[in-house]
Amino acid sequence: QDDIRRSGATTIPDVLAFVTGVDMRTYGLGAQDVGIRGYNQASNPHLMVLINGRQVYMVDYGRIVWENLPVQLNEIRQIEVIKGPNSALYGFNAVGGVINIITYDPLKESVNVASVGGGTQDFLTGSVVGTAKLGDTAGLRLSAGGFKAHDFAPGSLSPTDTLTRQPPFSGNFNADGRWQITPQIEALLEGSYGTNRESHPSPQSSYDTEQLHQWSLRAGVNADTPIGIVEFSAYRNDVRNDAVAINAVDRQPYFGHEQQSVTVLQASDLLKLGTDHIVRVGLEIRRNSDAGAVFQGRIDDTVYAASLMWDWQITPKVTATSTVRFDHAAVNYSGTPTPLSGLTAADFNSVRIDAPSLNSGLVWGATDTDTFRFTLARGVQLPTLVSQAIQIDPYAALPIGFYGKPNLLPSITWNAEVDYDRTLPAINSVLRTALFAQRTDNVIATALGGPLVFAPTGLVY
């Protein structure tokens, strides 16, 4: 938190820009993409972002809309940045890396702060965070904040282009409650609402303006039991997307509406075996859903996953950790595909994907100041719903259509790495180095930006 406050940053991506190996692309105020070790692109699907364990991606492109995250900088305790494939530990979006945002615990920490700021381009921002506690058994933290600005000069744009570059704004509210039911059992309940408007390039490199309305609700319980620390959680994220974009042919605006949701059920057990071994067993069910005109209906992607982690303290200075995960994904489509696509509902409903992932590492604390890490990872990136199912017929003046491919294979990323950390007490610093080799097979092109294909009829898609 001290680093975040002293950075002068006004957004989470601005904070992450200080981290080596993290890349930030900025298209305007409120429109940013973050990548780790490359592969940063518009609507980047290679990054997993968590807020206290809840994933916050949008299911269309697998992207992160940073200004729509219901968290204020003043309530963040720390941000963990994990580089490289970690899908065995966190799921399929973690093929590039993980950003783990951890807020203050209202059961143990009280944060009461308000802030206001301003700047050029009519920039105005503010936030407030408050905590209420009921003895040592319950705590509630409420936060709200947002910004508004003008990041494009309307005088230099045509009336049509002005529609796709509307002034950005954002407003978010979040409630985070914790209840210590007994000394061994704790429950949590979180809820949020937010709305934002941003102008950004779509993956096909045309600008549009989106206004998003998002809701989330999460509940969970963890218990210290004779069979380990058992956790159960369930959450749902909903997003309504109202977008305005420019027709590439006649340069006229068109409006689109989309309804997205993510529903997740998770269960895990963390168990210590003796003094040297810890195992963690995890189960997860996830359902991604997207409905809109670009799909000619609704598409759902249900993922069933099981994982096993083993941590072994080989010696006081050497620790080995390995995690394996298996994902089974099934697609369900309801609607009528456009005839020009050549697709049928059966093409979608027959899609099944089975994908194992792996994370394994050895940590050696050679001395009090020298640490070595040796890791191997197999990451899995499942196709996004847009890349599987988008259906945009060609216009009369432009004989090019955009159609998804239901049976896309997942991308597989292998990463082998050697890291070395050296503590430098004299200057209160750590020198951190990483040498890694990474290979990705079955790269999925940016949705709507793939190679052109000629159909037998001569149609280009």
Side-chain angles (χ1 to χ4, degrees), residues 8-254:
T10 58
T11 68
I12 294 175
D14 289 339
V15 174
L16 298 173
F18 287 91
V19 180
T20 304
V22 176
D23 308 309
M24 184 181 73
R25 290 166 56 121
T26 298
Y27 313 110
L29 292 171
Q32 298 159 305
D33 276 310
V34 174
I36 295 179
R37 291 179 175 173
Y39 293 102
N40 199 6
Q41 60 191 25
S43 304
N44 182 16
H46 300 277
L47 180 68
M48 170 72 74
V49 177
L50 306 171
I51 300 179
N52 297 327
R54 179 175 67 89
Q55 299 178 13
V56 290
Y57 66 95
M58 288 182 61
V59 302
D60 49 5
Y61 298 106
R63 58 187 168 134
I64 308 298
V65 181
W66 293 93
E67 293 301 331
N68 220 30
L69 302 187
V71 60
Q72 308 304 315
L73 289 179
N74 287 326
E75 64 182 324
I76 297 175
R77 183 172 63 191
Q78 66 196 64
I79 300 177
E80 299 175 346
V81 179
I82 307 170
K83 301 170 188 175
N86 276 270
S87 54
L89 287 164
Y90 295 98
F92 55 84
N93 286 70
V95 72
V98 180
I99 305 294
N100 190 18
I101 302 169
I102 300 173
T103 62
Y104 289 109
D105 186 339
L107 192 61
K108 303 177 178 66
E109 299 156 312
S110 292
V111 180
N112 300 282
V113 60
S115 66
V116 65
T120 59
Q121 293 151 293
D122 298 327
F123 179 72
L124 181 63
T125 183
S127 69
V128 59
V129 181
T131 308
K133 301 181 69 174
L134 181 61
D136 296 327
T137 60
L140 175 65
R141 188 185 67 254
L142 303 176
S143 67
F147 84 97
K148 70 178 187 67
H150 288 83
D151 57 352
F152 292 102
S156 62
L157 299 174
S158 70
T160 299
D161 284 332
T162 299
L163 278 174
T164 64
R165 289 166 170 81
Q166 297 179 38
F169 69 83
S170 175
N172 292 288
F173 169 79
N174 185 70
D176 184 355
R178 297 288 191 275
W179 179 24
Q180 193 73 48
I181 302 174
T182 73
Q184 290 77 34
I185 302 175
E186 181 179 321
L188 66 89
L189 182 63
E190 301 172 356
S192 71
Y193 170 76
T195 182
N196 86 305
R197 183 172 67 200
E198 63 172 6
S199 299
H200 70 119
S202 62
Q204 67 269 36
S205 299
S206 64
Y207 254 84
D208 59 23
T209 290
E210 290 183 326
Q211 183 159 349
L212 305 176
H213 307 272
Q214 63 88 14
W215 304 261
S216 74
L217 184 64
R218 178 179 180 227
V221 62
N222 65 78
D224 191 350
T225 73
I227 61 171
I229 298 177
V230 179
E231 296 188 34
F232 298 96
S233 69
Y235 62 86
R236 181 180 173 95
N237 305 333
D238 282 278
V239 179
R240 175 178 169 83
N241 182 1
D242 299 319
V244 55
I246 298 300
N247 187 314
V249 179
D250 57 19
R251 299 295 298 165
Q252 294 302 307
Y254 65 89

Side-chain angles (χ1 to χ4, degrees), residues 359-416:
N359 280 98
S360 186
L362 184 73
V363 179
W364 172 34
T367 70
D368 291 339
T369 57
D370 299 285
T371 302
F372 294 88
R373 292 186 302 277
F374 310 89
T375 61
L376 176 68
R378 183 186 195 267
V380 176
Q381 176 68 53
L382 295 181
T384 66
L385 296 184
V386 166
S387 62
Q388 287 180 307
I390 192 168
Q391 301 165 52
I392 299 179
D393 285 337
Y395 303 107
L398 186 66
I400 297 178
F402 297 95
Y403 303 106
K405 186 176 182 181
N407 60 344
L408 278 173
L409 295 173
S411 289
I412 305 298
T413 298
W414 286 95
N415 189 90

